[in-house]
Structure formats: C-alpha cells, structure tokens
Amino acid sequence: RPKPKVAPVGTAYLRVHDNNHALWETLFDPYDNFHPSPSGTFLQGCVLHYTMFGSPPPLPITEEEIVSLWRDARVMHNIKHGENRRMPSVEEAEYLWNVANDICSEALS
C-alpha cells in the first residue's frame, strides 16, 4: 500500500518568512491578503511537484517563461483597471524554487 505524502507548503512559507520577510509579504494576493499571489502559487506548485514526483519542476529562466505559467489560469482575483498583476521576477522564482527544493529534500531524508 502506498504511503500517503504530505506536501510541506507551510514549512516552505515559514522558511521564506524567516529568511526573506520582504519576499514573504509578496506571497499573498494583495486583493485579500489571504489567497496566494502568483509568487505564492509558484512556491506551492514547486513544493507539490517535488512531493508528487520526487524531483523539482523545471526552473523558469526568463520573465516570459514565468508569465507563461499563468497564461491558461482559470481564475485570478480581479485587479483594479490599469494595474498589472505582479509576477515573481527570475531571481525571486529561483529563490522560491530553491526553498521548495531544500524543504522537500529535507522532508524526504
């Protein structure tokens, strides 16, 4: 019987909170400060991918690759007319990707 897996998303959020508080503040959608922003969704996705498949997802290396991750999103909170939704930068995505990898590899050991 397969052993259940728990994705350590909360632990990943806590690691960002403790080590990069300014980035942690961007993990929540400014619309309600509750749901994940694109940065928070990216971190969650990295943790879930690693948990399900045992390896990290591909790391996006350009702004275009990051934006394309949301191209087919079904639902996103409304933003005020004329405002742009903040996506993670290449550097932020790499940092979050590394946090997810560190947390998940620690959880597996």
mmCIF file of all heavy atoms in Angstrom, residues 30-76:
data_model
loop_
_atom_site.group_PDB
_atom_site.id
_atom_site.type_symbol
_atom_site.label_atom_id
_atom_site.label_comp_id
_atom_site.label_asym_id
_atom_site.label_seq_id
_atom_site.Cartn_x
_atom_site.Cartn_y
_atom_site.Cartn_z
ATOM 1 N N PRO A 30 -2.613 40.734 -2.871
ATOM 2 C CA PRO A 30 -2.952 41.995 -2.198
ATOM 3 C C PRO A 30 -4.453 42.289 -2.218
ATOM 4 O O PRO A 30 -4.927 43.124 -1.464
ATOM 5 C CB PRO A 30 -2.165 43.057 -2.982
ATOM 6 C CG PRO A 30 -1.873 42.435 -4.294
ATOM 7 C CD PRO A 30 -1.791 40.953 -4.057
ATOM 8 N N TYR A 31 -5.203 41.560 -3.040
ATOM 9 C CA TYR A 31 -6.658 41.743 -3.106
ATOM 10 C C TYR A 31 -7.308 41.402 -1.774
ATOM 11 O O TYR A 31 -8.207 42.086 -1.322
ATOM 12 C CB TYR A 31 -7.221 40.866 -4.226
ATOM 13 C CG TYR A 31 -8.714 40.898 -4.361
ATOM 14 C CD1 TYR A 31 -9.346 41.975 -4.978
ATOM 15 C CD2 TYR A 31 -9.496 39.853 -3.882
ATOM 16 C CE1 TYR A 31 -10.724 41.997 -5.105
ATOM 17 C CE2 TYR A 31 -10.871 39.867 -4.016
ATOM 18 C CZ TYR A 31 -11.483 40.936 -4.624
ATOM 19 O OH TYR A 31 -12.837 40.965 -4.758
ATOM 20 N N ASP A 32 -6.817 40.302 -1.132
ATOM 21 C CA ASP A 32 -7.423 39.900 0.132
ATOM 22 C C ASP A 32 -6.405 39.515 1.211
ATOM 23 O O ASP A 32 -6.784 39.217 2.334
ATOM 24 C CB ASP A 32 -8.402 38.747 -0.081
ATOM 25 C CG ASP A 32 -7.754 37.475 -0.571
ATOM 26 O OD1 ASP A 32 -6.512 37.422 -0.695
ATOM 27 O OD2 ASP A 32 -8.497 36.515 -0.859
ATOM 28 N N ASN A 33 -5.106 39.527 0.880
ATOM 29 C CA ASN A 33 -4.048 39.143 1.822
ATOM 30 C C ASN A 33 -4.289 37.773 2.462
ATOM 31 O O ASN A 33 -3.891 37.532 3.595
ATOM 32 C CB ASN A 33 -3.857 40.213 2.899
ATOM 33 C CG ASN A 33 -3.246 41.460 2.330
ATOM 34 O OD1 ASN A 33 -2.272 41.402 1.595
ATOM 35 N ND2 ASN A 33 -3.833 42.591 2.649
ATOM 36 N N PHE A 34 -4.943 36.897 1.712
ATOM 37 C CA PHE A 34 -5.235 35.557 2.200
ATOM 38 C C PHE A 34 -4.850 34.500 1.162
ATOM 39 O O PHE A 34 -4.110 33.576 1.459
ATOM 40 C CB PHE A 34 -6.726 35.433 2.546
ATOM 41 C CG PHE A 34 -7.120 34.067 2.997
ATOM 42 C CD1 PHE A 34 -6.813 33.622 4.272
ATOM 43 C CD2 PHE A 34 -7.806 33.208 2.141
ATOM 44 C CE1 PHE A 34 -7.173 32.349 4.686
ATOM 45 C CE2 PHE A 34 -8.165 31.936 2.557
ATOM 46 C CZ PHE A 34 -7.853 31.503 3.829
ATOM 47 N N HIS A 35 -5.377 34.651 -0.036
ATOM 48 C CA HIS A 35 -5.065 33.709 -1.104
ATOM 49 C C HIS A 35 -3.643 33.940 -1.607
ATOM 50 O O HIS A 35 -3.106 35.036 -1.462
ATOM 51 C CB HIS A 35 -6.060 33.862 -2.259
ATOM 52 C CG HIS A 35 -7.424 33.370 -1.910
ATOM 53 N ND1 HIS A 35 -8.378 34.202 -1.397
ATOM 54 C CD2 HIS A 35 -7.955 32.130 -1.973
ATOM 55 C CE1 HIS A 35 -9.476 33.492 -1.162
ATOM 56 N NE2 HIS A 35 -9.241 32.228 -1.504
ATOM 57 N N PRO A 36 -3.047 32.925 -2.209
ATOM 58 C CA PRO A 36 -1.675 33.110 -2.695
ATOM 59 C C PRO A 36 -1.631 34.022 -3.921
ATOM 60 O O PRO A 36 -2.520 34.004 -4.766
ATOM 61 C CB PRO A 36 -1.225 31.691 -3.053
ATOM 62 C CG PRO A 36 -2.485 30.948 -3.334
ATOM 63 C CD PRO A 36 -3.526 31.550 -2.429
ATOM 64 N N SER A 37 -0.596 34.811 -3.979
ATOM 65 C CA SER A 37 -0.299 35.613 -5.162
ATOM 66 C C SER A 37 0.354 34.689 -6.188
ATOM 67 O O SER A 37 0.602 33.509 -5.911
ATOM 68 C CB SER A 37 0.680 36.725 -4.780
ATOM 69 O OG SER A 37 1.929 36.134 -4.446
ATOM 70 N N PRO A 38 0.683 35.187 -7.377
ATOM 71 C CA PRO A 38 1.453 34.353 -8.295
ATOM 72 C C PRO A 38 2.758 33.834 -7.678
ATOM 73 O O PRO A 38 3.130 32.687 -7.910
ATOM 74 C CB PRO A 38 1.697 35.282 -9.487
ATOM 75 C CG PRO A 38 0.462 36.128 -9.526
ATOM 76 C CD PRO A 38 0.187 36.404 -8.056
ATOM 77 N N SER A 39 3.421 34.637 -6.854
ATOM 78 C CA SER A 39 4.646 34.163 -6.197
ATOM 79 C C SER A 39 4.346 33.033 -5.228
ATOM 80 O O SER A 39 5.056 32.025 -5.178
ATOM 81 C CB SER A 39 5.342 35.311 -5.461
ATOM 82 O OG SER A 39 5.783 36.283 -6.375
ATOM 83 N N GLY A 40 3.279 33.180 -4.437
ATOM 84 C CA GLY A 40 2.880 32.131 -3.516
ATOM 85 C C GLY A 40 2.437 30.874 -4.244
ATOM 86 O O GLY A 40 2.741 29.751 -3.827
ATOM 87 N N THR A 41 1.731 31.054 -5.344
ATOM 88 C CA THR A 41 1.292 29.919 -6.155
ATOM 89 C C THR A 41 2.496 29.200 -6.747
ATOM 90 O O THR A 41 2.519 27.965 -6.803
ATOM 91 C CB THR A 41 0.344 30.401 -7.267
ATOM 92 O OG1 THR A 41 -0.789 31.029 -6.673
ATOM 93 C CG2 THR A 41 -0.116 29.258 -8.145
ATOM 94 N N PHE A 42 3.497 29.956 -7.177
ATOM 95 C CA PHE A 42 4.709 29.336 -7.722
ATOM 96 C C PHE A 42 5.397 28.489 -6.651
ATOM 97 O O PHE A 42 5.782 27.339 -6.916
ATOM 98 C CB PHE A 42 5.660 30.412 -8.259
ATOM 99 C CG PHE A 42 6.922 29.853 -8.827
ATOM 100 C CD1 PHE A 42 6.943 29.293 -10.091
ATOM 101 C CD2 PHE A 42 8.088 29.861 -8.089
ATOM 102 C CE1 PHE A 42 8.109 28.744 -10.612
ATOM 103 C CE2 PHE A 42 9.262 29.326 -8.602
ATOM 104 C CZ PHE A 42 9.270 28.762 -9.872
ATOM 105 N N LEU A 43 5.536 29.031 -5.443
ATOM 106 C CA LEU A 43 6.165 28.272 -4.356
ATOM 107 C C LEU A 43 5.360 27.007 -4.065
ATOM 108 O O LEU A 43 5.922 25.915 -3.948
ATOM 109 C CB LEU A 43 6.282 29.142 -3.100
ATOM 110 C CG LEU A 43 6.856 28.459 -1.855
ATOM 111 C CD1 LEU A 43 8.268 27.920 -2.107
ATOM 112 C CD2 LEU A 43 6.842 29.433 -0.676
ATOM 113 N N GLN A 44 4.048 27.136 -3.963
ATOM 114 C CA GLN A 44 3.199 25.977 -3.702
ATOM 115 C C GLN A 44 3.346 24.930 -4.808
ATOM 116 O O GLN A 44 3.452 23.733 -4.527
ATOM 117 C CB GLN A 44 1.737 26.396 -3.593
ATOM 118 C CG GLN A 44 1.423 27.186 -2.363
ATOM 119 C CD GLN A 44 -0.025 27.635 -2.318
ATOM 120 O OE1 GLN A 44 -0.856 27.193 -3.103
ATOM 121 N NE2 GLN A 44 -0.332 28.523 -1.391
ATOM 122 N N GLY A 45 3.348 25.384 -6.043
ATOM 123 C CA GLY A 45 3.489 24.461 -7.165
ATOM 124 C C GLY A 45 4.805 23.710 -7.134
ATOM 125 O O GLY A 45 4.852 22.505 -7.420
ATOM 126 N N CYS A 46 5.881 24.406 -6.788
ATOM 127 C CA CYS A 46 7.196 23.749 -6.699
ATOM 128 C C CYS A 46 7.192 22.685 -5.612
ATOM 129 O O CYS A 46 7.716 21.575 -5.811
ATOM 130 C CB CYS A 46 8.292 24.779 -6.435
ATOM 131 S SG CYS A 46 8.655 25.871 -7.815
ATOM 132 N N VAL A 47 6.596 23.003 -4.457
ATOM 133 C CA VAL A 47 6.537 22.040 -3.356
ATOM 134 C C VAL A 47 5.677 20.841 -3.756
ATOM 135 O O VAL A 47 6.050 19.684 -3.524
ATOM 136 C CB VAL A 47 6.008 22.704 -2.067
ATOM 137 C CG1 VAL A 47 5.715 21.674 -0.988
ATOM 138 C CG2 VAL A 47 6.991 23.746 -1.550
ATOM 139 N N LEU A 48 4.527 21.094 -4.360
ATOM 140 C CA LEU A 48 3.649 19.994 -4.767
ATOM 141 C C LEU A 48 4.314 19.106 -5.816
ATOM 142 O O LEU A 48 4.226 17.877 -5.745
ATOM 143 C CB LEU A 48 2.328 20.544 -5.298
ATOM 144 C CG LEU A 48 1.412 21.160 -4.245
ATOM 145 C CD1 LEU A 48 0.233 21.856 -4.908
ATOM 146 C CD2 LEU A 48 0.921 20.103 -3.269
ATOM 147 N N HIS A 49 4.976 19.702 -6.787
ATOM 148 C CA HIS A 49 5.659 18.924 -7.823
ATOM 149 C C HIS A 49 6.709 18.017 -7.203
ATOM 150 O O HIS A 49 6.780 16.820 -7.502
ATOM 151 C CB HIS A 49 6.289 19.860 -8.857
ATOM 152 C CG HIS A 49 6.872 19.154 -10.032
ATOM 153 N ND1 HIS A 49 8.071 18.471 -9.972
ATOM 154 C CD2 HIS A 49 6.418 19.008 -11.281
ATOM 155 C CE1 HIS A 49 8.328 17.946 -11.145
ATOM 156 N NE2 HIS A 49 7.340 18.252 -11.966
ATOM 157 N N TYR A 50 7.545 18.578 -6.343
ATOM 158 C CA TYR A 50 8.606 17.790 -5.716
ATOM 159 C C TYR A 50 8.004 16.662 -4.875
ATOM 160 O O TYR A 50 8.488 15.523 -4.893
ATOM 161 C CB TYR A 50 9.495 18.685 -4.854
ATOM 162 C CG TYR A 50 10.845 18.092 -4.543
ATOM 163 C CD1 TYR A 50 12.006 18.701 -4.992
ATOM 164 C CD2 TYR A 50 10.974 16.936 -3.781
ATOM 165 C CE1 TYR A 50 13.258 18.170 -4.699
ATOM 166 C CE2 TYR A 50 12.220 16.397 -3.485
ATOM 167 C CZ TYR A 50 13.355 17.015 -3.945
ATOM 168 O OH TYR A 50 14.581 16.488 -3.664
ATOM 169 N N THR A 51 6.938 16.974 -4.140
ATOM 170 C CA THR A 51 6.305 15.969 -3.285
ATOM 171 C C THR A 51 5.712 14.831 -4.119
ATOM 172 O O THR A 51 5.861 13.657 -3.782
ATOM 173 C CB THR A 51 5.208 16.614 -2.416
ATOM 174 O OG1 THR A 51 5.807 17.638 -1.609
ATOM 175 C CG2 THR A 51 4.536 15.591 -1.515
ATOM 176 N N MET A 52 5.072 15.162 -5.216
ATOM 177 C CA MET A 52 4.415 14.132 -6.032
ATOM 178 C C MET A 52 5.394 13.329 -6.881
ATOM 179 O O MET A 52 5.222 12.121 -7.051
ATOM 180 C CB MET A 52 3.354 14.772 -6.935
ATOM 181 C CG MET A 52 2.175 15.311 -6.165
ATOM 182 S SD MET A 52 0.805 15.873 -7.202
ATOM 183 C CE MET A 52 1.549 17.177 -8.142
ATOM 184 N N PHE A 53 6.415 13.991 -7.414
ATOM 185 C CA PHE A 53 7.290 13.334 -8.381
ATOM 186 C C PHE A 53 8.702 13.049 -7.871
ATOM 187 O O PHE A 53 9.491 12.407 -8.547
ATOM 188 C CB PHE A 53 7.369 14.165 -9.667
ATOM 189 C CG PHE A 53 6.021 14.371 -10.296
ATOM 190 C CD1 PHE A 53 5.438 15.626 -10.311
ATOM 191 C CD2 PHE A 53 5.322 13.308 -10.864
ATOM 192 C CE1 PHE A 53 4.191 15.824 -10.882
ATOM 193 C CE2 PHE A 53 4.076 13.497 -11.430
ATOM 194 C CZ PHE A 53 3.508 14.761 -11.439
ATOM 195 N N GLY A 54 9.038 13.559 -6.681
ATOM 196 C CA GLY A 54 10.336 13.288 -6.096
ATOM 197 C C GLY A 54 11.481 14.074 -6.687
ATOM 198 O O GLY A 54 12.647 13.793 -6.406
ATOM 199 N N SER A 55 11.160 15.080 -7.481
ATOM 200 C CA SER A 55 12.186 15.931 -8.087
ATOM 201 C C SER A 55 11.573 17.305 -8.346
ATOM 202 O O SER A 55 10.356 17.441 -8.472
ATOM 203 C CB SER A 55 12.712 15.325 -9.386
ATOM 204 O OG SER A 55 11.677 15.237 -10.339
ATOM 205 N N PRO A 56 12.428 18.312 -8.452
ATOM 206 C CA PRO A 56 11.909 19.670 -8.668
ATOM 207 C C PRO A 56 11.361 19.844 -10.078
ATOM 208 O O PRO A 56 11.774 19.144 -11.011
ATOM 209 C CB PRO A 56 13.130 20.561 -8.435
ATOM 210 C CG PRO A 56 14.301 19.691 -8.712
ATOM 211 C CD PRO A 56 13.891 18.296 -8.337
ATOM 212 N N PRO A 57 10.445 20.796 -10.251
ATOM 213 C CA PRO A 57 9.973 21.121 -11.598
ATOM 214 C C PRO A 57 11.066 21.885 -12.346
ATOM 215 O O PRO A 57 12.038 22.340 -11.731
ATOM 216 C CB PRO A 57 8.766 22.018 -11.331
ATOM 217 C CG PRO A 57 9.087 22.692 -10.044
ATOM 218 C CD PRO A 57 9.841 21.655 -9.241
ATOM 219 N N PRO A 58 10.906 22.038 -13.655
ATOM 220 C CA PRO A 58 11.873 22.862 -14.386
ATOM 221 C C PRO A 58 11.860 24.301 -13.845
ATOM 222 O O PRO A 58 10.806 24.829 -13.508
ATOM 223 C CB PRO A 58 11.367 22.830 -15.828
ATOM 224 C CG PRO A 58 10.437 21.668 -15.902
ATOM 225 C CD PRO A 58 9.884 21.472 -14.521
ATOM 226 N N LEU A 59 13.015 24.894 -13.753
ATOM 227 C CA LEU A 59 13.130 26.269 -13.269
ATOM 228 C C LEU A 59 12.960 27.232 -14.439
ATOM 229 O O LEU A 59 13.719 27.156 -15.416
ATOM 230 C CB LEU A 59 14.496 26.486 -12.613
ATOM 231 C CG LEU A 59 14.830 27.909 -12.181
ATOM 232 C CD1 LEU A 59 13.866 28.381 -11.096
ATOM 233 C CD2 LEU A 59 16.267 27.990 -11.690
ATOM 234 N N PRO A 60 11.964 28.128 -14.386
ATOM 235 C CA PRO A 60 11.853 29.128 -15.446
ATOM 236 C C PRO A 60 13.037 30.086 -15.380
ATOM 237 O O PRO A 60 13.403 30.538 -14.300
ATOM 238 C CB PRO A 60 10.529 29.834 -15.158
ATOM 239 C CG PRO A 60 10.221 29.551 -13.735
ATOM 240 C CD PRO A 60 10.940 28.286 -13.368
ATOM 241 N N ILE A 61 13.633 30.387 -16.522
ATOM 242 C CA ILE A 61 14.844 31.213 -16.510
ATOM 243 C C ILE A 61 14.666 32.566 -17.192
ATOM 244 O O ILE A 61 15.605 33.343 -17.244
ATOM 245 C CB ILE A 61 16.035 30.452 -17.139
ATOM 246 C CG1 ILE A 61 15.722 30.022 -18.562
ATOM 247 C CG2 ILE A 61 16.415 29.258 -16.281
ATOM 248 C CD1 ILE A 61 16.909 29.438 -19.305
ATOM 249 N N THR A 62 13.449 32.845 -17.697
ATOM 250 C CA THR A 62 13.181 34.153 -18.290
ATOM 251 C C THR A 62 11.851 34.681 -17.756
ATOM 252 O O THR A 62 11.001 33.910 -17.296
ATOM 253 C CB THR A 62 13.104 34.089 -19.824
ATOM 254 O OG1 THR A 62 11.961 33.304 -20.196
ATOM 255 C CG2 THR A 62 14.372 33.495 -20.435
ATOM 256 N N GLU A 63 11.675 35.977 -17.840
ATOM 257 C CA GLU A 63 10.398 36.588 -17.448
ATOM 258 C C GLU A 63 9.253 36.010 -18.285
ATOM 259 O O GLU A 63 8.161 35.781 -17.767
ATOM 260 C CB GLU A 63 10.456 38.114 -17.624
ATOM 261 C CG GLU A 63 11.496 38.807 -16.769
ATOM 262 C CD GLU A 63 11.145 38.874 -15.292
ATOM 263 O OE1 GLU A 63 9.955 38.756 -14.928
ATOM 264 O OE2 GLU A 63 12.081 39.022 -14.489
ATOM 265 N N GLU A 64 9.493 35.773 -19.567
ATOM 266 C CA GLU A 64 8.456 35.224 -20.444
ATOM 267 C C GLU A 64 8.013 33.843 -19.985
ATOM 268 O O GLU A 64 6.824 33.513 -20.019
ATOM 269 C CB GLU A 64 8.953 35.158 -21.896
ATOM 270 C CG GLU A 64 9.208 36.502 -22.537
ATOM 271 C CD GLU A 64 10.533 37.142 -22.119
ATOM 272 O OE1 GLU A 64 11.499 36.422 -21.758
ATOM 273 O OE2 GLU A 64 10.595 38.386 -22.105
ATOM 274 N N GLU A 65 8.966 33.019 -19.553
ATOM 275 C CA GLU A 65 8.621 31.690 -19.054
ATOM 276 C C GLU A 65 7.788 31.796 -17.783
ATOM 277 O O GLU A 65 6.855 31.008 -17.586
ATOM 278 C CB GLU A 65 9.879 30.859 -18.790
ATOM 279 C CG GLU A 65 10.577 30.396 -20.043
ATOM 280 C CD GLU A 65 11.838 29.603 -19.748
ATOM 281 O OE1 GLU A 65 12.261 29.519 -18.566
ATOM 282 O OE2 GLU A 65 12.417 29.059 -20.700
ATOM 283 N N ILE A 66 8.091 32.750 -16.941
ATOM 284 C CA ILE A 66 7.324 32.932 -15.701
ATOM 285 C C ILE A 66 5.911 33.372 -16.031
ATOM 286 O O ILE A 66 4.937 32.796 -15.533
ATOM 287 C CB ILE A 66 8.029 33.933 -14.763
ATOM 288 C CG1 ILE A 66 9.334 33.306 -14.245
ATOM 289 C CG2 ILE A 66 7.119 34.336 -13.606
ATOM 290 C CD1 ILE A 66 10.242 34.261 -13.528
ATOM 291 N N VAL A 67 5.746 34.369 -16.874
ATOM 292 C CA VAL A 67 4.418 34.854 -17.243
ATOM 293 C C VAL A 67 3.607 33.740 -17.899
ATOM 294 O O VAL A 67 2.401 33.611 -17.668
ATOM 295 C CB VAL A 67 4.531 36.091 -18.164
ATOM 296 C CG1 VAL A 67 3.189 36.470 -18.757
ATOM 297 C CG2 VAL A 67 5.119 37.262 -17.386
ATOM 298 N N SER A 68 4.260 32.896 -18.688
ATOM 299 C CA SER A 68 3.537 31.832 -19.395
ATOM 300 C C SER A 68 2.934 30.810 -18.433
ATOM 301 O O SER A 68 1.986 30.108 -18.795
ATOM 302 C CB SER A 68 4.449 31.136 -20.402
ATOM 303 O OG SER A 68 5.383 30.299 -19.753
ATOM 304 N N LEU A 69 3.455 30.721 -17.217
ATOM 305 C CA LEU A 69 2.894 29.781 -16.244
ATOM 306 C C LEU A 69 1.448 30.123 -15.905
ATOM 307 O O LEU A 69 0.678 29.259 -15.498
ATOM 308 C CB LEU A 69 3.738 29.767 -14.966
ATOM 309 C CG LEU A 69 5.163 29.250 -15.103
ATOM 310 C CD1 LEU A 69 5.932 29.467 -13.800
ATOM 311 C CD2 LEU A 69 5.180 27.783 -15.500
ATOM 312 N N TRP A 70 1.054 31.381 -16.060
ATOM 313 C CA TRP A 70 -0.309 31.816 -15.738
ATOM 314 C C TRP A 70 -1.152 32.069 -16.984
ATOM 315 O O TRP A 70 -2.297 32.483 -16.871
ATOM 316 C CB TRP A 70 -0.258 33.075 -14.863
ATOM 317 C CG TRP A 70 0.090 32.734 -13.457
ATOM 318 C CD1 TRP A 70 -0.765 32.456 -12.448
ATOM 319 C CD2 TRP A 70 1.399 32.598 -12.917
ATOM 320 N NE1 TRP A 70 -0.067 32.146 -11.314
ATOM 321 C CE2 TRP A 70 1.266 32.226 -11.566
ATOM 322 C CE3 TRP A 70 2.683 32.745 -13.431
ATOM 323 C CZ2 TRP A 70 2.345 32.009 -10.730
ATOM 324 C CZ3 TRP A 70 3.753 32.518 -12.601
ATOM 325 C CH2 TRP A 70 3.587 32.159 -11.266
ATOM 326 N N ARG A 71 -0.629 31.791 -18.133
ATOM 327 C CA ARG A 71 -1.342 32.089 -19.379
ATOM 328 C C ARG A 71 -2.719 31.431 -19.419
ATOM 329 O O ARG A 71 -3.684 32.017 -19.901
ATOM 330 C CB ARG A 71 -0.510 31.650 -20.581
ATOM 331 C CG ARG A 71 -1.134 32.040 -21.912
ATOM 332 C CD ARG A 71 -0.240 31.750 -23.088
ATOM 333 N NE ARG A 71 0.998 32.524 -22.953
ATOM 334 C CZ ARG A 71 2.219 32.030 -23.109
ATOM 335 N NH1 ARG A 71 2.388 30.770 -23.423
ATOM 336 N NH2 ARG A 71 3.286 32.788 -22.964
ATOM 337 N N ASP A 72 -2.825 30.203 -18.936
ATOM 338 C CA ASP A 72 -4.087 29.468 -19.016
ATOM 339 C C ASP A 72 -4.802 29.363 -17.674
ATOM 340 O O ASP A 72 -5.636 28.473 -17.477
ATOM 341 C CB ASP A 72 -3.838 28.059 -19.575
ATOM 342 C CG ASP A 72 -3.301 28.096 -21.000
ATOM 343 O OD1 ASP A 72 -3.725 28.977 -21.771
ATOM 344 O OD2 ASP A 72 -2.460 27.254 -21.336
ATOM 345 N N ALA A 73 -4.504 30.261 -16.752
ATOM 346 C CA ALA A 73 -5.148 30.229 -15.437
ATOM 347 C C ALA A 73 -6.659 30.406 -15.588
ATOM 348 O O ALA A 73 -7.120 31.280 -16.323
ATOM 349 C CB ALA A 73 -4.576 31.324 -14.538
ATOM 350 N N ARG A 74 -7.423 29.555 -14.900
ATOM 351 C CA ARG A 74 -8.881 29.648 -14.974
ATOM 352 C C ARG A 74 -9.407 30.855 -14.211
ATOM 353 O O ARG A 74 -10.301 31.542 -14.670
ATOM 354 C CB ARG A 74 -9.545 28.389 -14.407
ATOM 355 C CG ARG A 74 -9.399 27.185 -15.266
ATOM 356 C CD ARG A 74 -10.187 25.994 -14.732
ATOM 357 N NE ARG A 74 -9.988 25.785 -13.310
ATOM 358 C CZ ARG A 74 -10.974 25.630 -12.428
ATOM 359 N NH1 ARG A 74 -12.218 25.641 -12.819
ATOM 360 N NH2 ARG A 74 -10.709 25.443 -11.159
ATOM 361 N N VAL A 75 -8.883 31.082 -13.015
ATOM 362 C CA VAL A 75 -9.415 32.140 -12.163
ATOM 363 C C VAL A 75 -8.266 32.872 -11.491
ATOM 364 O O VAL A 75 -7.345 32.253 -10.974
ATOM 365 C CB VAL A 75 -10.339 31.559 -11.060
ATOM 366 C CG1 VAL A 75 -10.834 32.652 -10.143
ATOM 367 C CG2 VAL A 75 -11.505 30.811 -11.664
ATOM 368 N N MET A 76 -8.322 34.185 -11.520
ATOM 369 C CA MET A 76 -7.415 35.019 -10.739
ATOM 370 C C MET A 76 -8.262 36.164 -10.200
ATOM 371 O O MET A 76 -9.229 36.580 -10.831
ATOM 372 C CB MET A 76 -6.257 35.545 -11.590
ATOM 373 C CG MET A 76 -5.291 34.452 -12.024
ATOM 374 S SD MET A 76 -3.917 35.041 -13.014
ATOM 375 C CE MET A 76 -2.787 35.576 -11.771
#
